Amino acid sequence: MLRNGSDGYGWATKSLHWVTVLALLMQFVVGYAMDPDDGSGRGRGRGRGGESGRGRGRGGDDAAYDVFDEPLLTLHVSLGVLIIALAITRLVWRRVGSLPPWAEQLSDRQRVLSTWTERSLLTLLIVVPGTGLVLVLSGDDDLLWMHVAGHVVFFVVLAVHVAMALTKRLLPRML
């Protein structure tokens, strides 16, 4: 079944969900594998002209710097764009289709919590890579706090989402 129905999630929703999970796993592996001292890294870097706290860690060299010369950073940015595209696709798919009935084992409060965690995760799938793109394209770390805060919120909400799926035995609905 392609679409969601009374008997559960359709394969389109399931596929979008698991492709998003895979893209996120790859994104975090690549993001944390990047070396902060090679110009592609996380964190504040050395900045322009040897100053601390500005730039993408390119050091004192004022020569033209192309962020896409770094293979891991290019992959990281590409995955970020893919994640944004997947999030938008998921939002559109949700708008044009219906959701299956709630799992019987969820209380009214758990249904509200589930709704808000899903909405939060979908929002964060746009906000976190979006702020990352702004950081890379601007070459300035002024919004780094927002990118990092987005990660923290994402992991907290993800923990609630996974805990709900496991403790309420909801995982089979998405397999």
Side-chain angles (χ1 to χ4, degrees):
M1 130 184 100
L2 171 70
R3 300 178 73 91
N4 301 333
S6 59
D7 52 343
Y9 291 105
W11 71 263
T13 300
K14 292 177 183 180
S15 297
L16 284 170
H17 178 271
W18 292 110
V19 168
T20 303
V21 169
L22 180 62
L24 285 167
L25 287 172
M26 290 172 38
Q27 179 72 314
F28 286 113
V29 167
V30 170
Y32 288 105
M34 291 189 310
D35 180 3
D37 293 326
D38 73 357
S40 67
R42 317 178 307 275
R44 307 234 10 123
R46 286 186 300 274
R48 296 177 188 95
E51 303 151 5
S52 177
R54 289 282 184 242
R56 301 303 309 156
R58 64 182 188 159
D61 184 0
D62 281 333
Y65 178 74
D66 183 1
V67 295
F68 297 104
D69 283 342
E70 301 292 336
L72 283 179
L73 183 59
T74 301
L75 178 58
H76 193 64
V77 169
S78 299
L79 286 167
V81 171
L82 173 63
I83 290 166
I84 291 171
L86 285 166
I88 292 169
T89 302
R90 291 179 71 171
L91 287 169
V92 169
W93 182 248
R94 249 185 124 134
R95 276 299 222 196
V96 300
S98 61
L99 289 174
W102 285 104
E104 294 175 10
Q105 62 267 42
L106 293 177
S107 69
D108 288 341
R109 293 181 82 187
Q110 291 166 333
R111 291 175 183 185
V112 169
L113 180 61
S114 179
T115 297
W116 282 104
T117 57
E118 289 176 16
R119 288 178 181 172
S120 298
L121 285 171
L122 285 170
T123 300
L124 290 163
L125 288 177
I126 295 170
V127 170
V128 174
T131 57
L133 288 173
V134 169
L135 286 170
V136 168
L137 295 175
S138 72
D140 197 350
D141 283 338
D142 287 340
L143 292 178
L144 182 62
W145 68 271
M146 187 181 290
H147 192 60
V148 172
H151 279 94
V152 171
V153 173
F154 175 83
F155 285 123
V156 169
V157 176
L158 181 64
V160 172
H161 179 73
V162 170
M164 178 87 71
L166 295 177
T167 60
K168 291 299 178 177
R169 302 179 207 272
L170 300 174
L171 189 59
R173 288 174 51 101
M174 195 52 74
L175 294 176

